[in-house]
Amino acid sequence: MYIGIDVGGTRTDAVLLENGLVRAYAEVPSSSDILSSLLEALDQIMKGVPAELIERSVFSTTLITNYVAEKKYDPVGLVLIPGPGLCSTQFNYQSDTFTISGAIDYRGREIMPLRMEEIENAIVELNARGYRKVAVVGKFSVRNNKHEKEVAEQIKKHFPHWHVEMGHQVAGSLNYPRRVVTTMLTCATRDKYSLFLDSVKEAMSSRGIEGSLFILKADGGTMPLSKATSVPIETIFSGPAASTLGVQALIPPGETAVVVDIGGTTTDLALILGGQPLISTRGVPVYDQLTQVRAMAVKSVPVGGDSVVERVGKEIVVYSERLGVPYCLGGPMPTPTDALRVLGLTGVGGKEKALEAMNILGQPIGLGTSEVANRIVNLVIDVIVHEIEEMFLQWEREPAYRVWEVLQKRRERPSTVVGVGGGAAGFIVQIAARIDCHPVIPPYAPLANAIGAAVALPTLQVSLRADTEQGVYTVEEEGFQGKIEKDPFTEEDALVLANDWLKKRAGLYGLDNTLEKTEVTRRDVFTMVRNWITTGRIYDICVQTPRGIMGQIGARGDF
């Protein structure tokens, strides 16, 4: 038996799978008390089921996605150490930025010391501007974190209660601008994420569930709950990833489809090509800036069934924020869900309250309730269709999409739109019509995210860094440093060594059967040259067991 739980801003969905069949499910409102929502969902799906039968539980969440999409997080100040040759002013990080002197080179050697007075001045100015969260990032800090640690120590010396995040702890690969954005968002969301993890641990412990606990990552892989605290940003699109894996499990194998997951707070878009989710070759984009988070090619649009709707003059406006449940459920403001209720496209809430919400908006400008409802639904569809068209332009640049077009032997777009999430039934037919596609709402569509989490394959990764000049290699996850025995030691040798370590880790976790094929998620090579002669190379490689699902949700109950 496997459990999948998705904690969203509006609803917490849970599913219990037994031999590939949905044995029980729950849909409960998400409250500010995450623990109570989790316990309510667990109690519903675990009725009559002994806790010891649960082998594995996987959690996904759109909480971090929602915080970022709605910008509901504390401001983060930046202290950057770019070194020579890079001007930080050419990047707009949308935060107060303080650039200080100092430099570490690509080998991890200090070539320019820090200036203490610059650090002090930055701290004073950060305090004057009201910052209590700070991200410290150096260009080559993943090679040597000395400067980042020194700056963080000075900040903590003056203000021990401040939250300080260092770039080398957040992302292990090079690409300084992306690491800045990733570190800033990690700093902004860590408190909320820690609360989520603590709630998960307490909920499972209080119900005596001792099976393996995993968190779903943005790329559809999983990580043990115990390892998840340090990387909250990895879950920034775990909600969309869960929905996409759920659709993959609910539609026939090998299908190609656009995934539209319409929730209460956000609408998430993704693409399945030939039965496999499309992976982005770039990091997750946030506010048009790339991060170092590897993810599916998804986008989270800040509009959903519970988005606030207001009248501004003679115009009806749908905002990208949620203030609570729909008006028809006793909420404070009209929402698209109220419009769907008036039009008979959902059975959620009371119709009289929904009519009252539409009347509040329409009466002052002479519009009937049905006319207001249609206008609201069309506004939401306009936003989603526009974002789908924009996403198609991005998807078409992905190598996997181009390969798919070659296999089709013609240039075309997918012709099927799969709607999941609580708002799918009310919107998906019209969305599909707008983009000339066939609408599909699969079984258990409102629970696709929880199903996706439950069927996600457990994944492990190994990050290996080998320096042939020094003759040593390190394995980050194991805290191991060893000697390179082979000479010459090539890039392929480094890959073999990384895969050998992955096999060792998989054996310890009982995941040997997932190693038929591994994924390389990072592969960087740096050449060292002295006096015009190559003296060695640095190989920075990350491999993981493959992402994917255990299988389709089968009619006979087997994967």
Side-chain angles (χ1 to χ4, degrees), residues 209-468:
I209 300 174
E210 298 180 351
S212 302
L213 300 181
F214 293 89
I215 294 291
L216 191 68
K217 298 189 296 180
D219 67 350
T222 63
M223 71 177 88
L225 192 72
S226 58
K227 302 292 185 182
T229 307
S230 60
V231 284
I233 199 64
E234 287 283 353
T235 68
I236 188 171
F237 281 151
S238 76
S243 299
T244 308
L245 293 178
V247 170
Q248 185 183 357
L250 291 170
I251 63 177
E255 287 288 308
T256 292
V258 178
V259 179
V260 181
D261 178 12
I262 305 175
T265 309
T266 57
T267 294
D268 301 318
L269 310 175
L271 184 62
I272 295 176
L273 284 178
Q276 295 298 321
L278 181 64
I279 295 292
S280 175
T281 53
R282 310 185 302 167
V284 169
V286 178
Y287 311 140
D288 298 323
Q289 298 184 83
L290 295 174
T291 68
Q292 285 187 314
V293 179
R294 185 172 184 262
M296 296 179 184
V298 301
K299 185 169 187 178
S300 189
V301 184
V303 64
D306 297 350
S307 297
V308 172
V309 181
E310 282 188 337
R311 179 182 52 81
V312 180
K314 293 185 178 182
E315 297 295 323
I316 303 296
V317 179
V318 179
Y319 290 103
S320 61
E321 61 180 320
R322 175 182 183 270
L323 295 181
V325 297
Y327 196 87
C328 61
L329 290 172
M333 300 286 289
T335 68
T337 297
D338 298 301
L340 293 176
R341 185 70 179 92
V342 167
L343 297 174
L345 296 174
T346 182
V348 172
K351 187 169 184 178
E352 291 302 317
K353 292 289 289 182
L355 287 167
E356 182 182 338
M358 297 300 99
N359 194 50
I360 290 172
L361 295 170
Q363 188 178 43
I365 54 177
L367 295 179
T369 54
S370 294
E371 189 175 358
V372 174
N374 273 307
R375 188 174 295 190
I376 292 171
V377 169
N378 284 327
L379 285 172
V380 173
I381 292 171
D382 287 344
V383 172
I384 296 174
V385 168
H386 172 75
E387 295 295 344
I388 291 175
E389 292 293 345
E390 290 292 314
M391 283 302 292
F392 266 122
L393 296 178
Q394 296 182 30
W395 290 331
E396 288 167 357
R397 299 188 189 106
E398 294 293 344
Y401 192 100
R402 294 177 180 177
V403 170
W404 177 78
E405 285 189 330
V406 170
L407 294 176
Q408 303 305 306
K409 297 182 180 178
R410 62 183 180 275
R411 185 178 179 83
E412 65 175 43
R413 290 182 174 183
S415 59
T416 301
V417 173
V418 179
V420 294
F427 290 106
I428 201 65
V429 173
Q430 295 180 67
I431 290 172
R434 290 272 197 97
I435 59 175
D436 196 25
C437 287
H438 304 295
V440 173
I441 298 179
Y444 302 111
L447 300 166
N449 44 15
I451 290 173
V455 301
L457 284 173
T459 55
L460 292 172
Q461 73 173 28
V462 161
S463 305
L464 180 137
R465 182 173 183 265
D467 188 328
T468 63

Side-chain angles (χ1 to χ4, degrees), residues 457-507:
L457 284 173
T459 55
L460 292 172
Q461 73 173 28
V462 161
S463 305
L464 180 137
R465 182 173 183 265
D467 188 328
T468 63
E469 186 179 53
Q470 296 182 11
V472 298
Y473 73 93
T474 58
V475 179
E476 181 182 317
E477 289 76 11
E478 300 292 335
F480 176 86
Q481 182 172 12
K483 290 184 178 180
I484 296 174
E485 304 292 346
K486 189 175 181 181
D487 186 21
F489 186 81
T490 66
E491 182 178 352
E492 291 304 315
D493 293 325
L495 275 171
V496 170
L497 185 58
N499 278 304
D500 287 344
W501 275 95
L502 187 60
K503 290 176 184 177
K504 293 178 184 178
R505 297 200 78 212

Side-chain angles (χ1 to χ4, degrees), residues 93-136:
Y93 295 118
Q94 299 188 14
S95 180
D96 287 326
T97 302
F98 301 90
T99 302
I100 61 177
S101 303
I104 301 290
D105 73 2
Y106 75 102
R107 292 290 305 279
R109 299 169 297 196
E110 184 181 51
I111 59 175
M112 183 188 302
L114 296 171
R115 294 181 181 176
M116 195 57 62
E117 65 274 13
E118 292 183 356
I119 301 174
E120 297 288 341
N121 291 339
I123 294 172
V124 169
E125 191 62 30
L126 284 165
N127 184 52
R129 299 186 189 187
Y131 285 97
R132 298 297 179 265
K133 293 185 175 182
V134 183
V136 181

